[in-house]
C-alpha cells in the first residue's frame, strides 16, 4: 500500500495495488460526504475490486503521519 499527498490540493490517494495503469480504474464510487465527513472516492477495477481511495480534505480525515508529500 502506498499513499501520495498533495498539500496544495489537500488531497491524498491511497493505492491498494502496486500500480494503477492508464485505464486501470473502471469505476469510481463517490461516498456520501455526510456519512464520511468529507469527500472520499473509491476506485474500482473492471472486476469490481477496490484498487484505490481518493481523499479530499485529507488533513482533516487522515492521520498526519500518512500525509508525507512524495518528491
Amino acid at each position: 500500500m502506498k499513499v501520495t499527498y498533495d498539500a496544495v490540493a489537500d488531497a491524498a490517494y491511497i493505492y491498494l495495488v502496486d500500480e494503477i495503469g492508464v485505464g486501470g480504474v473502471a469505476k469510481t464510487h463517490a461516498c456520501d460526504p455526510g456519512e464520511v465527513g468529507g469527500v472520499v472516492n473509491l476506485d474500482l477495477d473492471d472486476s469490481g475490486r477496490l484498487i484505490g481511495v481518493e481523499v479530499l480534505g485529507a488533513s482533516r480525515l487522515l492521520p498526519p503521519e500518512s500525509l508525507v508529500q512524495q518528491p
Side-chain angles (χ1 to χ4, degrees), residues 47-59:
S47 296
R49 290 179 293 224
L50 182 62
I51 58 173
V53 180
E54 177 186 38
V55 181
L56 304 179
S59 62

Side-chain angles (χ1 to χ4, degrees), residues 21 34 43 49 65 68 70:
D43 288 341
R49 290 179 293 224
E65 59 272 12
V68 177
Q70 303 296 317

Side-chain angles (χ1 to χ4, degrees), residues 17 20 23-27 42-52:
V17 295
I20 300 173
V25 175
K27 181 178 180 182
L42 307 177
D43 288 341
L44 308 169
D45 67 10
D46 58 359
S47 296
R49 290 179 293 224
L50 182 62
I51 58 173

Side-chain angles (χ1 to χ4, degrees), residues 30-41 60-61:
C31 296
D32 182 339
E35 289 185 15
V36 297
V39 178
V40 176
N41 296 309
R60 281 186 308 101
L61 297 172

Side-chain angles (χ1 to χ4, degrees), residues 13-38:
Y13 195 85
I14 303 165
Y15 292 83
L16 301 175
V17 295
D18 290 334
E19 188 174 316
I20 300 173
V22 175
V25 175
K27 181 178 180 182
T28 298
H29 174 77
C31 296
D32 182 339
E35 289 185 15
V36 297

